[in-house]
Amino acid sequence: MHVSFRAPPALVEAAMKESGVTSPSELGILALAALAQPDPVAEFMRKNRGRLGKGHKLDY
């Protein structure tokens, strides 16, 4: 599949520098792979919703 999009050059350069990839194609694959992974924090929160216990108090 071919995917094409526009992005600010500074954003692409910064992302490539941070990730260490050497081409925009590699950067796109890395970004898609990162987005395709499930979020472990969200899964933990779903599994533990409502389980703080009766005596637990949230301090703001």
Side-chain angles (χ1 to χ4, degrees):
M1 173 185 293
H2 176 84
V3 178
S4 178
F5 65 95
R6 294 178 190 202
L11 178 61
V12 173
E13 290 170 15
M16 287 177 66
K17 182 179 177 183
E18 181 67 25
S19 66
V21 299
T22 58
S23 75
S25 293
E26 286 181 66
L27 183 63
I29 292 168
L30 178 64
L32 290 172
L35 290 170
Q37 295 297 313
D39 181 359
V41 174
E43 181 62 24
F44 173 83
M45 291 180 77
R46 272 193 294 274
K47 286 182 179 179
N48 292 290
R49 183 175 184 191
R51 295 185 184 186
L52 289 177
K54 294 178 183 179
H56 188 83
K57 293 181 181 180
L58 295 175
D59 295 328
Y60 291 48

